[in-house]
Amino acid sequence: MAYGPVNVPGISGGETIIVAASDGSEEAKAAANYICNGTDDIAVIQEAISALPEYAGKIVLSSGNFYIKATGSAVSMTVPDNTAIIGHGNSTRFLHGNPKSSRCYITFGASESKNVTLRDFSVDKQADASGYFSFGIRLGAYSSIININTPGNLDAAPITLYGSFSSMIGCTMPQGSLQIWNKVKNAVVANCHGLKNVECRPSSENSIIAGNVIESASGSGYRPVFQGSNGIFCNNCIRDTAAGDPGAYFPISFSGENNIFANNIIHANSP
């Protein structure tokens, strides 16, 4: 697998910095600008991000495991404007780095970060990890979340799109909860699988939610909620995991104006 400069739509120019996992291949390590230590890899990646030019840049992560040092509180990887973090698909994994820790949180990005791309990696915890482990994403305008995957055993914090013209495409995130924030316009969520909740907040506009499989849990209050206006919700499959629970809600809620609901398949808990 070759390592070198990459092209990312919307992020032109800038430097490409390669970060190798501690268990990455010798080829990756030979090409890398930074090599992680397998303990606190977020700090190494953050150092690489800080070395990028202010105007634009890309961080390419090798295949392998990038370990998140458990602190008992939130761990953030701050991603500035005009930056891409790119892995090599599911072979690039962020892992809970301490199986004895009771709590570990990881958040990618920042609510004010603009024109950020996160793509082609997975987030998981070690098989023998116990306790609570969650991850979340917070991104601003013109940002994209593409092909990021998680298993179903994470307690996912919200993935929040805070800026207009942001998108989430092709992700598999069982237990994931997505929020399109107030006053956000023209957000797109497409071809994602496993989200338990998609919420378009009041005063959001022109959101497109299409081609997703949503595993809502209406008995726990998780379900698609459209409170914005002029949105399109089409070609989705909504499967209510609370099926058979007489106290569950109908698995979708619309309260905004001028929204289009078309060609969706709904498996509700009751007729």
Side-chain angles (χ1 to χ4, degrees):
M1 181 179 295
Y3 291 89
V6 294
N7 294 318
V8 179
I11 300 179
S12 59
E15 187 175 353
T16 297
I17 292 179
I18 299 169
V19 181
S22 59
D23 57 356
S25 68
E26 292 304 315
E27 178 190 5
K29 290 179 179 178
N33 305 98
Y34 293 81
I35 299 175
C36 291
N37 55 28
T39 302
D40 187 8
D41 294 342
I42 295 299
V44 177
I45 297 170
Q46 195 70 66
E47 183 179 352
I49 292 171
S50 298
L52 288 171
E54 291 186 6
Y55 58 89
K58 303 122 185 170
I59 300 293
V60 175
L61 304 176
S62 75
S63 298
N65 295 312
F66 293 85
Y67 290 92
I68 303 164
K69 183 179 180 180
T71 63
S73 59
V75 176
S76 296
M77 188 168 76
T78 302
V79 185
D81 295 355
N82 307 313
T83 301
I85 309 293
I86 307 162
H88 284 79
N90 287 337
S91 63
T92 301
R93 296 196 304 170
F94 286 90
L95 275 180
H96 183 317
N98 184 351
K100 303 301 181 184
S101 175
S102 59
R103 284 182 175 267
C104 182
Y105 309 81
I106 175 69
T107 301
F108 297 91
S111 58
E112 67 276 8
S113 296
K114 298 178 181 179
N115 197 29
V116 168
T117 297
L118 303 176
R119 65 175 302 162
D120 299 326
F121 59 81
S122 64
V123 184
D124 203 348
K125 61 182 178 181
Q126 296 185 66
D128 56 351
S130 60
Y132 182 94
F133 175 45
S134 74
F135 90 102
I137 298 173
R138 301 159 59 91
L139 292 177
Y142 303 99
S143 296
S144 300
I145 306 166
I146 304 171
N147 298 334
I148 295 179
N149 300 314
T150 70
N153 61 350
L154 301 188
D155 302 287
I159 298 103
T160 308
L161 303 180
Y162 284 97
S164 298
F165 299 96
S166 49
S167 61
M168 180 172 170
I169 308 293
C171 298
T172 300
M173 293 186 177
Q175 303 302 314
S177 178
L178 173 69
Q179 296 176 331
I180 297 174
W181 207 245
N182 300 325
K183 299 183 179 180
V184 170
K185 298 180 180 180
N186 304 306
V188 175
V189 180
N191 301 328
C192 295
H193 186 279
L195 290 168
K196 66 180 178 182
N197 184 39
V198 177
E199 180 181 3
C200 297
R201 298 290 295 265
S203 70
S204 62
E205 297 180 21
N206 309 323
S207 301
I208 297 176
I209 313 297
N212 305 284
V213 176
I214 301 172
E215 305 278 358
S216 65
S218 62
S220 302
Y222 294 107
R223 55 182 175 157
V225 176
F226 247 66
Q227 296 175 301
S229 60
N230 304 312
I232 298 174
F233 191 96
C234 67
N235 300 326
N236 300 286
C237 178
I238 306 166
R239 301 193 299 204
D240 189 2
T241 59
D245 178 359
Y249 304 97
F250 188 73
I252 188 168
S253 172
F254 271 81
S255 58
E257 298 180 351
N258 302 320
N259 293 304
I260 296 173
F261 183 86
N263 298 325
N264 299 286
I265 298 173
I266 300 176
H267 296 278
N269 67 307
S270 59

